[in-house]
Amino acid sequence: MKNLGLTFFLVGLGLFLSLFFMSDYQLSNEDFKSIVKQEHQESLLPEIANILEKPFSNAISFANAIDHAVNTVNEQMRATQQWDQVIYDNYTASLTRAATKGIITEHPTTLFLLIFGLVIGGGVIFSLAGKNSPPGIKNNGIFFNALNNRGWIGILVGTILIAFYILLYFYDAHIMNWIILVDPLQKWINPSATSSQWFLYGFLYTIAVTVMGVRFIMKYRHSKYQIVRTISVMFFQLALAFLLPEILVRLNQPYFDFKNMWPLDYDFFDAWHINMLTSAGGIGIFMFAWGITLFMVGVPVLVYFFGKRWYCSWVCGCGGLAETAGDPFRQLSDKSLRAWKIERYLIHGVLVFAIVMTGAVLYNFISSTNTIFGLDTYTYLRKPYGFMIGSIFSGVVGTGFYPLMGNRVWCRFGCPLAAYLGFIQRFKSRFRITTNGGQCISCGNCSTYCEMGIDVRWYAQRGQNIIRSSCVGCGVCSSVCPRGVLNLENRDEEGRFVKNSFIE
Ligand code: SF4
Ligand code: SF4
């Protein structure tokens, strides 16, 4: 059963990847005129004339030819100081989409059902087959495994993930076949919408969380805590992060993810976002107020009672992906003191960066300016943050490096919201992991499988409570402990910072 599921999954994945190469591209004059704005057609036409009606065998060469034509026009306009003629619109993706010809444009629904049927069906069969083996971790040569310990399969998976994120963020025209592939689903949800790279990403993300969530539940089925919190992250990803925002758009309301909040949602206070929400009437105002209330009131109150786990391990999409798709790699987190030190500098540095950037953006919004202390806010703060943190750190490194550095790279080293939650958890919360040190046999399972790089055994051997700001309360240390030493608790604050009394 396991091999059957794996075969279905790999065939589906192979078809998905090979679709990348399966189209021809030919741009017609009519499509050019219907997509490019009238004021740009005249200047662009001489440069694009040799592309029109010419067949290209791959998206990369076609998109590069479009980019080259637009860049050439812009250089000419800048050289002759015709600033109003410079083209800022990005036509590459829409022209590539119009030029795409082949099996994907002829049979998108069939391919969608075939590919994702194989991927999802195979993944679920593979996951359910886990019920044939005992629950929990096996410790059966995990550090000799080519996938789980940075072997060739792990490096291959990491390389594919990194390449995917780079294409997704910076070269959406190159993955047009995949974007068109999910168009049937986009049309089922909202007939007037056309799929984008973000819809594709949301769909793949949701598949990863739900299919691998089934695997996680089967693996940790001896723990009620793990079952319930995994169902929770699957629900939040599917319902709140993927479906609800699309349904809102269908109802002519703003796209809004109710569980995402500043500073993770770093463009929440951007002028375009505030304007979009406040101009949408009552529901938009409610969304804006909800977003502010969530991080100003919801976070402190809920972290006080439950620790940061209420968000990082039960609600968050990044955490949801890490816990499910990233579970095979959780043992790769670095447990050294050096990594802990880097973690503290980096994550708090990102939080400070997010606060400064947001302060500047808000100042610009309120004062109707674009600069702060004479510097252009977008160029010097907003754009670098979006590129370095929003794209490279959270996406390319945060997920692409799962098979190399463990599944919580982003949550541990980069997420500004995790830093904020962790700060409250460390100093003002009822949450702690208590350790019944007398029972510890020093097997090290807890430290090995802590995705946040916490040396749990060190605390357990001393009977010391774990109140580390980075602990996301996933509870896996407790689930893999053979002696029942570790317990996640929300008790009174009193006694939180001292060793357990029986050791004293
Ligand atoms: S200490 Fe335990 S609960 Fe906390 S992050 Fe590590 S494994 Fe999860
Ligand atoms: S606390 Fe449990 S898992 Fe960790 S070293 Fe001790 S016995 Fe092993």
Side-chain angles (χ1 to χ4, degrees), residues 202-203 205-207 209-210 231-245 247 259:
F203 179 58
Y205 204 105
T206 305
I207 290 180
V209 171
T210 47
I231 291 171
S232 170
V233 291
M234 289 161 75
F235 165 78
F236 278 107
Q237 176 56 37
L238 178 64
L240 266 79
F242 182 61
L243 288 177
L244 187 59
I247 292 168
K259 66 172 182 49

Side-chain angles (χ1 to χ4, degrees), residues 377-391:
T377 305
Y378 180 74
T379 307
Y380 291 99
L381 288 171
R382 179 61 183 75
K383 197 173 165 194
Y385 189 94
F387 175 73
M388 290 192 302
I389 311 298
S391 303

Side-chain angles (χ1 to χ4, degrees), residues 439-447 456-457 460 477 480-486:
Q439 288 293 317
C440 177
I441 54 170
S442 298
C443 68
N445 280 352
C446 51
S447 296
V456 182
R457 180 174 57 179
C477 54
V480 300
C481 174
R483 303 281 293 171
V485 173
L486 306 155

Side-chain angles (χ1 to χ4, degrees), residues 118-136:
L118 284 167
V119 167
I120 297 171
V124 170
I125 293 170
F126 178 85
S127 302
L128 290 176
K131 78 174 190 320
N132 297 328
S133 55

Side-chain angles (χ1 to χ4, degrees), residues 225-226 229 309 313 323 330 408 425 431 433 446-447 449-456 466 468 470-478 480 486 488:
Y225 182 78
Q226 300 301 347
R229 89 179 171 87
R309 60 175 160 161
S313 289
E323 291 297 332
R330 62 172 57 246
R408 286 272 193 176
Q425 170 164 286
F431 173 75
I433 301 178
C446 51
S447 296
Y449 291 97
C450 175
E451 58 196 350
M452 298 304 284
I454 298 171
D455 188 357
V456 182
I466 299 171
R468 286 265 288 266
S470 58
C471 173
V472 289
C474 65
V476 168
C477 54
S478 173
V480 300
L486 306 155
L488 281 71

